[in-house]
Amino acid sequence: MAEAYVLDAVRTPVGRRGGALAAVHPADLGAHVIKAVVGRTGVDPALVDDVILGCVDTLGPQAGNLARTAWLAAGFPDHVPGVTVDRQCGSSQQAVHFAAQAVLSGTADLVLAGGVQNMSAVPIGSAMLAGRELGFPDPFSGSKGWQERYGAEEVSQFRSADLIARHWDLSRAQLEEFALRSHERAAAAIDEGRFDAELVAYGDFRVDEGPRRDTSLEKMASLKPLSDGSRITAAVSSQLSDGASATLLASEAFVREHKLKPRARIHHLSVRAADPVWMLTGPIPATAHALCKTGLTIGEIDLFEVNEAFASVVLAWLDETGADPDRVNVNGGAIALGHPIGASGTKLFATLLHELERRDARFGLQTMCEGGGTANVTIVERL
């Protein structure tokens, strides 16, 4: 049976909006992790079959096929192609899936997958709003088919997060307790050097900027909700961030020919979807589907990375799956560490790979909620 092997995975430290990476061109951010992962594996960049990067809001410096631009900005051969994908928050996780599928199909032997996002330079939602000057207020208004099916309801991640909190009867206090734990876990991971192996410093920038060591339940309780009556505040939401991440996937033939030692294999990859208005519930059916396809139980997964777009998303997922909370986001998540949306998929992939190795564990499952209600699931088996 064909295999897709993971050679390595890296990420930059994540910068806060307006922080250490704010002035870095997205192509240079991408080039940085591309050079790092190629250099760490020792492969000849001329042998890469394709470069697939995730990015959302591909405007300005993120436009023009950023994957191609970043590869060339890295100084690597211009015969290697590149393509940029947008599956919203799961864009770079989808890049991993496309890369693995190319290897598994036998049409490629070495593919670089990753993601880039500079949310300081290009604010979140810029692409959604770019059509206003052309007479399109948002992506949905004016579509007869959409409005016949879903009406004129607000479609936003914030509304979805609140709908989830209410449906699963998650109190604001529960959401804030989860958020505080994310910050505490992230701070502990930094202090213990758990991220050191996956990080590639950008100049003098070496440590994630997001975790708030001085936060508390009292401080969180003092924040105003995003809207009247909402249970969602900034404290229980992911942070707007800048960053990049990358991984290299190779075929069995390539690994054997070049005498490489892969670190893991892709055990499973799939994507599922749920209601696009509720939007952020996708990881629940996606996880159930992945476990059914693989025959694995939730208890056989050693570690989980479930993107913390909002605390309510992960808490609802925990409630429905019965996963052990002590195996989920063990080093904190996007509430503390940030969510550079186009880069978050391979960022979590890098963290999951390195933590599996640190714990001498076998299976890791990664899933992310995504705009439109979709959700990717990747199961990695450490070798």
Side-chain angles (χ1 to χ4, degrees):
M1 187 177 89
E3 298 283 7
Y5 287 114
V6 182
L7 300 184
D8 206 345
V10 302
R11 67 177 182 91
T12 64
V14 176
R16 287 183 180 179
R17 183 175 58 171
L21 297 177
V24 181
H25 194 288
D28 294 328
L29 268 181
H32 187 66
V33 290
I34 286 171
K35 286 189 287 187
V37 77
V38 169
R40 282 172 43 150
T41 55
V43 300
D44 181 352
L47 299 178
V48 173
D49 290 305
D50 206 355
V51 178
I52 309 171
L53 295 187
C55 187
V56 186
D57 294 314
T58 51
L59 299 171
Q62 294 179 165
N65 191 1
L66 181 57
R68 174 71 171 157
T69 312
W71 176 263
L72 297 175
F76 286 155
D78 61 10
H79 72 267
V80 176
V83 63
T84 306
V85 299
D86 178 356
R87 202 192 278 275
Q88 299 294 279
C89 296
S91 296
S92 55
Q93 188 174 4
Q94 183 61 52
V96 172
H97 283 204
F98 282 150
Q101 288 164 340
V103 170
L104 290 168
S105 71
T107 57
D109 284 306
L110 182 66
V111 184
L112 191 149
V116 182
Q117 202 77 38
N118 188 325
M119 300 176 82
S120 297
V122 184
I124 187 172
S126 292
M128 295 277 192
L129 304 177
R132 287 184 172 179
E133 294 181 1
L134 303 174
F136 299 97
D138 57 62
F140 314 103
S141 300
S143 166
K144 293 181 180 179
W146 177 275
Q147 292 187 323
E148 286 174 0
R149 187 166 185 180
Y150 298 108
E153 292 183 88
E154 176 193 351
V155 181
S156 79
Q157 57 179 327
F158 306 106
R159 179 168 180 246
S160 173
D162 205 44
L163 287 170
I164 291 169
R166 294 178 183 280
H167 182 80
W168 272 271
D169 194 24
L170 300 166
S171 68
R172 177 169 165 173
Q174 287 176 287
L175 302 179
E176 289 168 349
E177 288 167 3
F178 179 88
L180 179 62
R181 186 163 65 247
S182 182
H183 284 283
E184 291 172 342
R185 287 179 171 181
I190 291 170
D191 292 345
E192 295 172 16
R194 291 188 225 154
F195 296 136
D196 290 356
E198 69 198 57
L199 287 174
V200 287
Y202 197 96
D204 294 331
F205 179 42
R206 300 177 178 277
V207 180
D208 296 302
E209 289 183 318
R212 294 184 169 90
R213 295 173 183 268
D214 61 347
T215 194
S216 66
L217 293 177
E218 291 72 27
K219 288 183 178 180
M220 291 182 183
S222 69
L223 297 179
K224 291 183 179 181
L226 298 183
S227 60
D228 290 341
S230 173
R231 304 180 190 188
I232 305 301
T233 69
V236 301
S237 311
S238 56
Q239 298 183 40
L240 304 180
S241 311
D242 309 323
S245 53
T247 185
L248 264 176
L249 301 183
S251 68
E252 185 171 4
F254 188 92
V255 165
R256 186 171 55 250
E257 180 182 354
H258 296 275
K259 297 179 175 59
L260 300 170
K261 186 178 180 181
R263 300 173 65 176
R265 59 179 285 272
I266 302 296
H267 184 75
H268 171 82
L269 48 87
S270 60
V271 62
R272 279 293 183 267
D275 186 291
V277 176
W278 280 74
M279 192 183 305
L280 307 181
T281 58
I284 296 170
T287 300
H289 172 77
L291 294 176
C292 180
K293 291 289 286 185
T294 59
L296 292 169
T297 65
I298 200 78
E300 290 177 295
I301 305 296
D302 298 292
L303 288 170
F304 301 88
E305 285 291 335
V306 183
N307 192 44
E308 292 175 3
F310 297 89
S312 58
V313 172
V314 186
L315 287 172
W317 180 89
L318 282 165
D319 186 69
E320 291 295 320
T321 63
D324 181 354
D326 290 334
R327 299 184 184 185
V328 179
N329 302 354
V330 296
N331 293 322
I335 289 172
L337 292 162
H339 181 17
I341 47 180
S344 288
T346 29
K347 171 190 174 294
L348 296 188
F349 188 82
T351 297
L352 184 59
L353 173 66
H354 286 84
E355 188 62 22
L356 284 170
E357 291 181 337
R358 198 180 73 83
R359 294 181 177 228
D360 194 24
R362 183 179 180 187
F363 287 117
L365 184 150
Q366 174 188 339
T367 187
M368 307 179 72
C369 58
E370 302 155 359
T374 64
N376 288 70
V377 172
T378 314
I379 299 178
V380 175
E381 183 180 13
R382 185 187 64 83
L383 298 176

